[in-house]
Each structure stands twice: as structure tokens, then as C-alpha cells.
Amino acid sequence: MRASNLRRIVATGVAAGSLTMGLAASAVTTSGASTRQAHVSGTLDSALIASKMRWIWPYVPAYRFTVTNVSRLQMPMYRPLYWFGKGDSIDVQPDLSLAALPKASSDLKSFTINLKGWKWSNGETISARNVEFWLNIAKSHPGDYGGYVPNVGIPDRVASTQIVNNTTIKITMKSAQNPNWFLYNALATVTPMPTAWDVTSDNGAAGSGGCSNLAFTAVPKAVYNDNGDLVSGGSACDRVFNFLSDKATPTGGGSNNNDDLWKVYSGPWALSNYNTSNYTARFVPNTKYDGPVKAKLAAVQFHWYATLDDEILALKNGDLDSGALNTTDVTAAPKPGKAGNLKISLPGYHAVSGGFWGYDYAYLNLDKAQGTPLLKSLAVRKALIAAINQAGIVKTIQNGYGVPSCNPLPYLNDSFAKGIKCKYPYNPKAAKGYLTAAGWDATQTPAVCVKASGCGAGIPKDTQLTLGFEYITAGVTDPFDRMVATEKQQWAAVGIEIKLKPTTESAVSNDCLSADYSNWDICEYGGWVYSPGAYPSGEQILLTGAAGNSGNYSDDTMDAKILATTNSNVSLAGYGQYAADQVPVLFQPSSLGVSAVSNKLKGVLAPNPLSDYMPEYISK
């Protein structure tokens, strides 16, 4: 899912240790729900910066597919079929999952899933039908899910489903699947949905929408034209989808509770209040939660701040139990994932940092029809990446709380791919050389195309090398803003003029994450965290037509390399190296971030590389 440039707000941690991978799809025996009683005390006050909670339904469109919406708002209340990550691990957690690990057939085409029989907060069993309900919505409206990839995984590769009994469902695929990939990237996206959501009106009886009891094979795909008019489909699932989408934006204000529709929970937390005026949210324990770890706090309260400076002031005032810091507020990172000591006065807090299972990047507008011709030139993309002194930015601006990046695999990727080389390391002379060889006069800024036949498709002679760069700002003192300003100078030194456009999250979402490619060149939302989908095979971001591929990058060789990783257990090195060579996005130094955590908090987990939020482990 997309992670804003402030995604590394660590709310639950001590510094992460080594990351141990264990992607084994073998059967695991899990125990049932624990019956121990939790001790309830205190409120945890945590921060949100810039990014707001905007989508409560766990079927999330691409423009709302963010850490804030998924990890912070939805997952504490609505558990996915399988839970991944705990502390510094990204592995599947069988004890925290709603089902035992799937059993694969010998031909790797069918997967049987046995749910544990845990309950929804309304007393109903979390059932096989609840799983199929999500699958049916996915089949009806695949492109409206932010993790959708055409012809890959769910729903396009699903041939059929079978409800074996109330808590068992069998999913049969059209072809053999890589079991690791299928568990970590396909089943990981599924969130069982209660029958109470199968409605088309506020007063509709549970199940009256008629979607949850349909067979998967009977659900047609809804097709709309460019004007939003229904062309074909119009099934029960289409009508339910439209109703739930209209209700998906959290409502409330002041002391009002959120819409009653969403008050059926499968996770350890329930939303007691959402304020549409100041974007605060309050969670209280779901006392009916069947999982093994009960909420111990009386409440978790999120406070929204427009800028990092505002949030740090709240920390200094003692208004927060955890919140992000500037990297200059602490001593330099001893090593990636480890935190130094606080340099600012914050009595009663300590600094934390952690790993990141993803990478930071900016989208390049490569849309075939409306894309930026300058960026379709590999020479320009090579010059852009070679001009960035990533190591220098990590050292001087991120204060060691970051890692250079030149490919889409996480820096902790040794279990999947080794030996990937940065094809275009920092080298201003080489960056100029790439432009000169393509026909640019890079002795001036902006460089000018002097080649009579042009400097690439759509780049005629006399074109100036000027590009716009839109990004979310959190204030001039934020490390990200300072990083972009530094990059602007580095690009200017090799002949690339960049016009910066710092703006809000809403503006970036409207401009750069929509179907309109007419008004932007480079757009930074912050990066990608491989969640849901911890197997970093890349189809959600770089495969042609993927919902998360907001730059509309398309390359047949890339597609083939990615698809091979979903069908067989091949190394990801081939895909990763090709991405490093082609620069399909503008790779940026990946921020690991640093935060302050109150010493009053107990039971705190290590910061999770997947950005999981698990306050149920915390007491105060």
C-alpha cells in the first residue's frame, strides 16, 4: 500500500532488530482463542501527520490505499484473513490470523482454508461466506481495490470457490500458483466481511443485498463507461458495492459516533468516535474479540497535525505518548533501524527507529497518451537517478535514518534476491553524459535539445529540459522537504530544471493518483510498503495496468519477469535488476524515520517493517 513521506511514525516500538524471513507455506497447527482476561487502563495518545483517515471500509480504492487508512483505521477493527508482521518480523502470524494456514493441493491449483470459528462482535461466526463475500465484491469491482493487478491473483486467476462447510472454503485457481506468493500477496488482501454489510440501504436487513450468498462463478463484473454509466453488470454485488462505497468515508463530529453500519468488528478495537472537523479518531476495546491478545488500554486516541512542527510541539507539551521527530532531533543512527539518543528536551521519552519493508520513490508520468515525453526517454531517467547523491542525503539530511535505493526490493531483501547492482550510481559527470549522448546541450540549465532529429520520441529540437515535481509537504523543517530542495540543486547541476510544487495530501491524491495524466510530471507520495502483500514481487506497482501503478509504466519484459515470480518460486533478482536498469520510477533514499515513545508505555513491540499497528500489546 502507499506510504506517505511521514509513514515512519512509529507508534508502538523499540528499535527493530534483525529481520528473519520464513516464507514457508507448510501446515501450521494453531490453538484457539485465548480466554485470559485483559487488564484495561489508560489512553494511548498517538499522532497522525498530514495524512488523514478517509476510508473505513476494508475494500480500498487506489487513491485511498494508504498506511493511515489500512493499518491505522481499518485493521485494528477488521482483521484480514491472515495477519502478517509482529515486532520486527514480516512473517505470517498463525496465532493472530482468522484461519489456519491454507492447505495446497498437489498441483498447486487449489487451496483449502479452515477458519477458526472466531466471532464477530455481534456474536455471529466469522464464516466461509464472509470470505466469499469479499471475493464476490472483488470480482464485481476488481479495479476499485488498490491492490488489484489485472490477470494476477484474486479475482482474475480464481476459477471457482466451494463452501465446504460454515468455516471452510476451497479456492481453485486457473493455473498453478507459487504457494508463498499466493499466501503472502493474494490471500493477504482478503478481509472477511460480515453479513451486516450485505445491504443496499441504511435500514436493510443483514444479507438483504444478496451478494454474500452468491457463488463466486455467478458474479458478473460491473463495467462502466467513462461517464460513470453502467454498461453491463448491475448484479447484487454491484449494488452492494455502490452502497458501501458511498458509506466508506468516516462520519461523525464532536462526540457523535461513526455510522452504525461499521459497528460489527472482528479485531481487538472498535471505533467510538471520528471527528470530521479535526480528523481525530478514538478507539476502544472490542470486548467480544476472540483473538489471543486482548486490548489492555482503555482507549487509543489519534490526533491529527497538519505539519511535523505542530506534532513535535505537542510532544514537547506532553500531549502525546508517541510521535515522529525530525532526524536532527536525535544523534546519528548507529546503523539502519537503530536509534540514537534524543537531542531535544523530551523528559520521559526515548527515541526509536526501525526497518522498512518497502522503498521510497516518486511516480514518473509514463502514460502512453498523456505522459511526459521527457520522462519516456531512458536517458533522462538515467540522468535523474545518477544526479542524486543518495548516500549524502542519508548522512546529512536523514542523519543516518535511511538507506539508498536503486531498485524496488526492500533493503532487507537477502532472502529473495542477492547481487542486484545500482546501474546508475551517483555520478554527476555520467548524468550529464547520458543527456549529451541523447542530443542534449547540458552545459546550461535547463538543458536544450540540440539534435536535429530530436532527443527522443515527442522531444523535438530546442525543447528545454524542465520538469515539475509535486509532493506532500509537512513543513520546511521536515527532512523530506529539505531532501527535495537538495535534489533540485543536484539536478540543476547536470542541466535538469525542476520546478517544485509542495502541496497537501489531498492535492497529490487528486492530481497524481487519478486517471488524469495531463497536469503532472513527477509526483511523490512517499513510497510503497509491501502490505498487504509482503512478498516483494512487484506486481502491485510495476505490472501493466496494476491499480497501484499510478505512473502507468508498461514494459513487456518487466511484465514477464514479474509474472514469473508469481507462478514459481524463482529469485526476485531478475525482476529487481531489470527495474534498476530501466528506472520505471524515481528511486529515492528510503526513510527509516525516528520517533519518540513515552517511557510510561509497557509491552511495546519493535517497530514493524510492514507498518503494522498493534496497540493491543501496550499497557500504560
Side-chain angles (χ1 to χ4, degrees):
M1 58 190 161
R2 289 187 180 87
S4 77
N5 57 294
L6 292 162
R7 72 179 189 290
R8 306 306 297 152
I9 299 169
V10 182
T12 60
V14 297
S18 61
L19 184 67
T20 302
M21 300 303 302
L23 293 178
S26 59
V28 175
T29 301
T30 59
S31 61
S34 170
T35 58
R36 71 176 176 81
Q37 298 298 309
H39 174 66
V40 178
S41 65
T43 296
L44 172 66
D45 291 285
S46 192
L48 293 175
I49 308 172
S51 184
K52 303 167 184 174
M53 293 179 173
R54 296 175 180 270
W55 195 270
I56 194 170
W57 181 30
Y59 192 83
V60 197
Y63 68 99
R64 293 285 184 252
F65 203 54
T66 66
V67 166
T68 299
N69 285 326
V70 178
S71 295
R72 299 298 185 263
L73 175 59
Q74 297 166 8
M75 290 173 66
M77 300 185 291
Y78 315 120
R79 283 305 204 224
L81 186 61
Y82 292 101
W83 184 269
F84 295 82
K86 177 184 173 184
D88 55 21
S89 171
I90 66 129
D91 287 341
V92 63
Q93 305 296 313
D95 61 324
L96 301 178
S97 298
L98 299 178
L101 292 183
K103 296 180 180 178
S105 61
S106 58
D107 62 1
L108 300 182
K109 287 186 178 181
S110 295
F111 298 83
T112 300
I113 298 161
N114 293 297
L115 290 108
K116 298 176 182 177
W118 293 358
K119 305 292 184 182
W120 294 99
S121 57
N122 65 1
E124 295 181 5
T125 299
I126 301 173
S127 69
R129 281 288 175 199
N130 299 149
V131 175
E132 187 156 63
F133 186 10
W134 195 97
L135 297 175
N136 288 350
I137 289 290
K139 187 179 181 185
S140 175
H141 280 261
D144 289 289
Y145 179 66
Y148 171 67
V149 183
N151 304 313
V152 177
I154 296 172
D156 291 356
R157 283 186 184 173
V158 178
S160 64
T161 62
Q162 178 188 357
I163 304 296
V164 179
N165 56 48
N166 190 44
T167 56
T168 304
I169 183 171
K170 182 179 180 181
I171 301 175
T172 299
M173 308 300 288
K174 297 175 181 177
S175 59
Q177 306 296 301
N178 173 352
N180 287 334
W181 174 86
F182 188 69
L183 172 60
Y184 275 69
N185 282 21
L187 293 178
T189 66
V190 178
T191 299
M193 301 193 302
T195 309
W197 294 355
D198 187 10
V199 293
T200 57
S201 66
D202 285 327
N203 299 317
S208 60
C211 180
S212 61
N213 60 2
L214 282 179
F216 178 85
T217 53
V219 178
K221 178 180 177 181
V223 178
Y224 292 80
N225 62 23
D226 292 340
N227 296 322
D229 302 318
L230 184 68
V231 175
S232 64
S235 69
C237 292
D238 179 47
R239 293 189 292 272
V240 170
F241 170 86
N242 289 329
F243 176 72
L244 296 179
S245 294
D246 289 343
K247 305 285 284 187
T249 300
T251 60
S255 60
N256 293 334
N257 289 335
N258 197 64
D259 196 300
D260 287 341
L261 176 70
W262 306 115
K263 294 181 180 178
V264 182
Y265 308 106
S266 59
W269 298 95
L271 182 63
S272 67
N273 173 250
Y274 178 84
N275 193 309
T276 56
S277 299
N278 59 17
Y279 308 107
T280 61
R282 184 177 181 85
F283 296 83
V284 296
N286 167 20
T287 59
K288 305 294 185 181
Y289 176 56
D290 261 352
V293 183
K294 317 292 184 183
K296 303 167 186 62
L297 296 160
V300 174
Q301 179 81 30
F302 280 107
H303 304 267
W304 181 82
Y305 300 92
T307 69
L308 183 59
D309 288 343
D310 292 337
E311 183 261 3
I312 291 176
L313 179 60
L315 274 172
K316 291 179 177 179
N317 291 337
D319 297 332
L320 294 170
D321 293 300
S322 62
L325 296 171
N326 278 312
T327 52
T328 52
D329 294 334
V330 289
T331 56
K335 63 179 181 179
K338 295 290 185 180
N341 298 315
L342 289 167
K343 291 169 62 178
I344 61 174
S345 179
L346 281 176
Y349 293 85
H350 62 280
V352 299
S353 184
F356 175 41
W357 194 246
Y359 67 105
D360 284 354
Y361 64 97
Y363 288 112
L364 303 175
N365 188 345
L366 301 173
D367 183 69
K368 289 183 178 180
Q370 296 179 301
T372 307
L374 293 173
L375 294 172
K376 294 179 181 179
S377 164
L378 180 57
V380 172
R381 301 201 303 272
K382 289 159 57 174
L384 281 167
I385 195 70
I388 303 174
N389 184 357
Q390 293 200 38
I393 289 172
V394 169
K395 181 178 180 179
T396 61
I397 295 178
Q398 296 180 341
N399 202 19
Y401 296 96
V403 289
S405 173
C406 70
N407 70 80
L409 293 178
Y411 78 99
L412 298 166
N413 70 37
D414 284 351
S415 295
F416 300 107
K418 296 181 180 180
I420 298 177
K421 299 185 181 300
C422 292
K423 188 72 172 289
Y424 317 111
Y426 173 59
N427 188 327
K429 182 178 179 180
K432 277 193 173 186
Y434 299 141
L435 296 177
T436 301
W440 295 92
D441 175 5
T443 62
Q444 55 187 307
T445 302
V448 177
C449 177
V450 294
K451 189 175 180 180
S453 59
C455 297
I459 309 174
K461 185 176 181 294
D462 297 327
T463 297
Q464 294 186 333
L465 186 42
T466 300
L467 294 162
F469 192 147
E470 185 171 347
Y471 65 96
I472 303 169
T473 181
V476 293
T477 64
D478 178 61
F480 184 84
D481 289 75
R482 290 186 282 124
M483 180 188 79
V484 176
T486 298
E487 290 177 336
K488 174 183 169 74
Q489 296 176 342
Q490 293 173 347
W491 285 319
V494 302
I496 303 173
E497 180 184 49
I498 297 292
K499 294 184 177 180
L500 299 179
K501 184 182 178 182
T503 186
T504 64
E505 181 200 20
S506 296
V508 169
S509 179
N510 291 335
D511 292 346
C512 311
L513 304 182
S514 70
D516 184 1
Y517 288 82
S518 62
N519 62 348
W520 64 276
D521 300 320
I522 304 173
C523 181
E524 175 113 18
Y525 199 83
W528 190 269
V529 57
Y530 287 100
S531 174
Y535 195 72
S537 45
E539 68 278 355
Q540 290 185 330
I541 314 152
L542 297 177
L543 197 69
T544 298
N549 183 357
S550 291
N552 261 8
Y553 170 77
S554 180
D555 181 274
D556 290 344
T557 301
M558 179 71 81
D559 289 349
K561 289 180 178 294
I562 290 175
L563 290 174
T565 69
T566 70
N567 295 325
S568 61
N569 195 25
V570 300
S571 168
L572 302 183
Y575 146 67
Q577 186 64 64
Y578 189 73
D581 296 349
Q582 293 298 308
V583 197
V585 296
L586 182 62
F587 298 108
Q588 295 276 40
S590 291
S591 169
L592 304 181
V594 61
S595 298
V597 174
S598 170
N599 296 336
K600 296 179 181 179
L601 301 181
K602 302 175 182 178
V604 186
L605 297 174
N608 184 255
L610 300 178
S611 296
D612 282 342
Y613 188 62
M614 305 173 74
E616 58 268 22
Y617 282 87
I618 299 175
S619 61
K620 185 178 180 182

